[in-house]
Amino acid sequence: MKVERYAQGLPCWVELASHDANAGKQFYSELLGWSLQDMPIPDGVYTMFNLVLGEESDEIGAAYQMPAEMSEQGIPTNWTVYFAVDSVDATIALARSNGGELLLGPHDVGTAGRMALLRDPQGAKFAIWQAGEHIGARRRGESGTLCWVELACRNTGLAKQFYPKILDWKVQPGDIPGFEYTEWLVDGEPFGGMMEMTEEWGDIDPHWMLYFTVADCDETVVKATKIGGKICVPPTNIPKVGRFAVIKDPQGGVFSVIALNT
């Protein structure tokens, strides 16, 4: 489905910062069928991930080489989700007044839009995007597109206070028997969720997990292992939803794939 605009608070873009961007983008291209479009930027190359359907090619995300100083600090290869906002500057002010932290920006990206990187009160990082000429991902609801974002944190009550105040989200209990889960909503429609991190998670930091739609979860997992990926969570059924798995790419970036029930 073509996307023409994003309402305030919806996930609109995903971006991979990789220790080896050349190898990383090839991994995702082969695994999820994305085509690649390299664009020169002052510090290197920004690679667009495109979904090609027939004669149309639409941008759905991007990747770039992580700066050496960040790699040397031990920052792992990672995915970042961008949420659409009507005003980057107003959202930064709200985030700061509610315990969030500005990590990068705000700055204009040419005529494409305006962005900033934030950290919530528990440490989970996310970005915000005020669209100019670039709205974000141009497709959704098809294999290879982002379909869900999920916050893993240690204090769900605190998160329920923070995000609705800065991104206008609503919350509702998830419909998963025997499991406490929260769904995030914009305009009455769920687009993501949240779960509480228990002691079993160890020292993993709070984070946002990205889910990409695939036609067959098990086939995707087999393919991922053949091209250098590692399986963190094997294919698992979610009642009434679908079958998902968590994968680590060869550079250490973690993401999820899910085959949704039809």
Side-chain angles (χ1 to χ4, degrees):
M1 178 188 302
K2 280 275 195 179
V3 180
E4 300 299 333
R5 65 174 296 274
Y6 285 94
Q8 163 88 7
L10 283 177
C12 64
W13 191 245
V14 294
E15 193 174 72
L16 177 70
S18 179
H19 289 169
D20 186 344
N22 285 329
K25 64 190 183 185
Q26 294 298 330
F27 171 84
Y28 289 98
S29 176
E30 187 170 349
L31 183 68
L32 297 174
W34 296 338
S35 67
L36 308 173
Q37 179 184 3
D38 289 338
M39 302 175 61
I41 56 176
D43 297 327
V45 174
Y46 192 73
T47 299
M48 291 291 189
F49 290 129
N50 294 324
L51 189 66
V52 179
L53 295 172
E55 297 182 354
E56 294 190 12
S57 178
D58 293 297
E59 297 168 351
I60 57 169
Y64 65 93
Q65 179 70 38
M66 185 183 294
E69 58 269 23
M70 293 177 65
S71 296
E72 291 167 0
Q73 293 171 14
I75 298 174
T77 292
N78 64 90
W79 281 97
T80 297
V81 58
Y82 283 67
F83 296 107
V85 295
D86 297 329
S87 170
V88 160
D89 297 88
T91 305
I92 290 171
L94 284 171
R96 281 175 159 166
S97 65
N98 286 280
E101 180 183 357
L102 176 65
L103 299 179
L104 177 68
H107 63 252
D108 294 323
V109 185
T111 58
R114 186 167 174 79
M115 67 81 63
L117 180 66
L118 302 172
R119 179 158 52 202
D120 74 16
Q122 299 183 67
K125 299 176 184 178
F126 64 98
I128 52 176
W129 181 254
Q130 180 182 334
E133 295 178 356
H134 181 72
I135 66 164
R138 296 307 302 263
R139 285 196 172 270
R140 64 181 178 85
E142 290 153 327
S143 184
T145 62
L146 180 74
C147 68
W148 195 254
V149 294
E150 186 176 79
L151 176 65
C153 64
R154 303 190 188 280
N155 187 333
T156 57
L158 181 59
K160 288 178 185 178
Q161 295 176 11
F162 177 76
Y163 286 99
K165 287 180 179 177
I166 71 164
L167 294 172
D168 299 332
W169 295 350
K170 305 298 183 184
V171 298
Q172 70 179 15
D175 185 19
I176 303 177
F179 183 72
E180 184 176 343
Y181 194 78
T182 298
E183 291 184 349
W184 305 112
L185 296 84
V186 166
D187 293 335
E189 294 295 326
F191 64 86
M194 174 174 60
M195 65 173 66
E196 185 170 337
M197 302 172 71
T198 64
E199 293 181 358
E200 297 173 352
W201 289 71
D203 59 359
I204 298 175
D205 292 329
H207 60 275
W208 281 96
M209 173 69 76
L210 279 55
Y211 285 73
F212 297 104
T213 304
V214 294
D216 188 302
C217 179
D218 295 77
E219 288 184 2
T220 302
V221 163
V222 170
K223 189 172 187 178
T225 57
K226 288 182 178 179
I227 59 177
K230 296 181 179 179
I231 309 308
C232 303
V233 177
T236 304
N237 289 325
I238 304 176
K240 303 179 183 180
V241 177
R243 188 166 172 83
F244 86 104
V246 181
I247 301 171
K248 180 181 288 187
D249 72 29
Q251 289 71 47
V254 180
F255 63 101
S256 293
V257 295
I258 186 166
L260 297 168
N261 293 342
T262 55

